[in-house]
Structure formats: C-alpha cells, structure tokens
Amino acid sequence: MSKETAPQNVTARILRLVGYLTDPKSGPGKLWMRFEGASTGVMTRLATSPRYLRFAGRGLKRMFHLHRDLVDLTEEVLHFWRVPTLGDLEEVRAQLRRAEDRLEITTTQLELALELLEKVQTELARSLRGAA
C-alpha cells in the first residue's frame, strides 16, 4: 500500500518561490537586489531631470487632449443617433432636482397660506357668532 501525500497549497508554493527569487542570500536574489538598486537610481535621476519631466508632461497633455477628443466624438455619434449621453442625463437630473426644490418651496408656501386661511376663517366665524 502506498501513502498518498496531500498536494501542497499552490499559494504557499508561489510565495516560497518568490521568497527564494528575492532573498538577498540566493543567486537570483543577489541579481534582483542589483537590478532594483540600479533601476531605483535611474528613476531618481529621471524624476529630477527637467528634460524628462517636460517630455512626460507633453505626453500627458497629448493623452488628455486625445481623451477629451474621443469623448467629444463619442457624444457627437450618440447625438447623431439620437441617443442621450451621460452629459444629457446629468443635465436632466439637475433640472429635475431644481424642479423638486421649487415644488417643495411651493408646497411649504401653500401649507403656510392654508394655516393662515384657517386662522382667518375661525376668527371670522367667532366674530359672526359674537355679533349675532
């Protein structure tokens, strides 16, 4: 009879492999430490380089403009097909919110007017009973 061993946990095996590959005492770990130190130095120099920062800034600016143009084009296509865009829905929501606010104000004013009208009616009824 052979004993079957339980399969090892895959996550534990992966973590053990990552630990070996990044351990400063192992061969791959020593290479990793050298690579990490060199790349950190390069990134430090790039982060303080005005030329690189200008280059990166221009790239970001172009990407933002491209994104804006794509959104505008998408909205134009949706408007062409008479499909409401997110901006249209947000505008309708804002209008609905304003209408709800106005309705609430009007309701409050009407309630106050009704209370005053009831007071006037009760005073008028008292005065008519007192005069009779």
Side-chain angles (χ1 to χ4, degrees):
M1 293 192 169
S2 64
K3 272 188 167 179
E4 290 185 26
T5 59
Q8 289 186 343
N9 187 352
V10 177
T11 306
R13 292 171 74 183
I14 291 172
L15 289 175
R16 200 171 309 134
L17 177 64
V18 169
Y20 171 74
L21 293 175
T22 57
D23 183 21
K25 296 174 188 171
S26 69
K30 290 177 184 176
L31 288 173
W32 172 254
M33 294 300 285
R34 248 187 259 141
F35 170 75
E36 190 177 17
S39 63
T40 301
V42 169
M43 290 308 294
T44 301
R45 285 194 304 271
L46 281 176
T48 57
S49 167
R51 180 180 290 165
Y52 173 76
L53 292 175
R54 274 193 304 276
F55 174 75
R58 282 194 305 265
L60 284 173
K61 183 178 178 183
R62 286 183 182 147
M63 288 303 295
F64 289 138
H65 285 288
L66 178 64
H67 182 265
R68 182 198 60 205
D69 293 342
L70 286 174
V71 168
D72 290 344
L73 178 64
T74 304
E75 286 187 354
E76 287 177 20
V77 168
L78 290 173
H79 282 149
F80 175 77
W81 291 104
R82 297 181 184 263
V83 175
T85 63
L86 182 61
D88 297 336
L89 294 177
E90 288 174 354
E91 179 60 31
V92 169
R93 282 185 188 143
Q95 289 175 358
L96 183 60
R97 202 171 298 121
R98 287 191 297 269
E100 287 174 348
D101 292 344
R102 289 182 190 143
L103 179 63
E104 187 176 343
I105 291 169
T106 305
T107 304
T108 304
Q109 290 174 343
L110 283 174
E111 288 172 354
L112 291 173
L114 283 174
E115 287 177 12
L116 290 174
L117 182 61
E118 286 176 7
K119 286 181 184 178
V120 168
Q121 285 177 342
T122 55
E123 288 177 15
L124 183 62
R126 281 185 202 154
S127 66
L128 287 177
R129 274 188 252 144

